[in-house]
Amino acid sequence: GAVTDFGQVVLMFTPVNISRFEFTYVRQAALNDTAVQVFHFRQIDGPNPMTVLQRGSEKAQAVAVQGEIWANADTMLPLRVVLQADTDVGRQEATVDYAPSGYGVLLPVRTDQREIRDGQVFAENHFTYGGFRRFGASADIVFEPEDPR
């Protein structure tokens, strides 16, 4: 099978998409010495956000997701998203940790992903993200006066 960038998973919860999920408060916890509020989520509508590709098959399977969001107790900024999705061949699980950057945006710092088949870990991947850089560009639009001739 194949796994692609889970770092973008927090984008499932944009204002446009948030109504596609049901949220339930679960508990208080701590994550890296930060107090968090943990919420369970379950997809209830819309297109399935996770695509699973299986080796030897040309068919991609789009699957619904559920899991948890761990939010900073003071700011409600998401610090962890835990995903679970059942597929034709097993279960996909992923935990994505986020941290605010010095650039004022939320960025992924780590992803742990597992594929489980018949109750056994079939594949496991660990990703770390770093070296983010800020870039930008600017442009000026200049209108030349028309030649009156």
Side-chain angles (χ1 to χ4, degrees):
V3 173
T4 59
D5 189 14
F6 279 103
Q8 303 289 330
V9 79
V10 75
L11 296 177
M12 287 190 316
F13 307 109
T14 62
V16 170
N17 293 325
I18 197 108
S19 64
R20 295 178 173 160
F21 296 91
E22 174 183 81
F23 296 88
T24 307
Y25 177 77
V26 178
R27 68 185 180 281
Q28 290 184 318
L31 178 62
N32 302 324
D33 297 324
T34 300
V36 295
Q37 301 289 335
V38 180
F39 300 87
H40 179 266
F41 70 88
R42 181 177 67 92
Q43 182 181 350
I44 57 174
D45 191 18
N48 294 334
M50 182 184 286
T51 302
V52 178
L53 305 171
Q54 295 299 329
R55 181 176 51 185
S57 173
E58 294 181 17
K59 178 185 164 208
Q61 182 183 6
V63 294
V65 295
Q66 65 175 339
E68 294 180 337
I69 297 177
W70 296 39
N72 181 302
D74 294 328
T75 65
M76 296 308 287
L77 188 68
L79 300 178
R80 172 174 282 172
V81 176
V82 179
L83 281 178
Q84 300 161 352
D86 293 319
T87 71
D88 290 342
V89 296
R91 174 174 230 161
Q92 294 288 331
E93 299 177 348
T95 299
V96 184
D97 288 338
Y98 293 91
S101 75
Y103 307 120
V105 296
L106 190 66
L107 294 172
V109 293
R110 180 178 172 85
T111 297
D112 297 311
Q113 180 271 335
R114 298 184 323 166
E115 181 177 338
I116 302 188
R117 294 184 182 182
D118 299 322
Q120 302 293 318
V121 175
F122 181 78
E124 191 168 28
N125 296 287
H126 304 281
F127 306 93
T128 55
Y129 306 90
F132 292 104
R133 301 282 187 259
R134 184 177 179 174
F135 70 94
S138 63
D140 291 325
I141 298 174
V142 178
F143 294 98
E144 297 293 328
E146 288 185 27
D147 187 357
R149 293 186 261 163

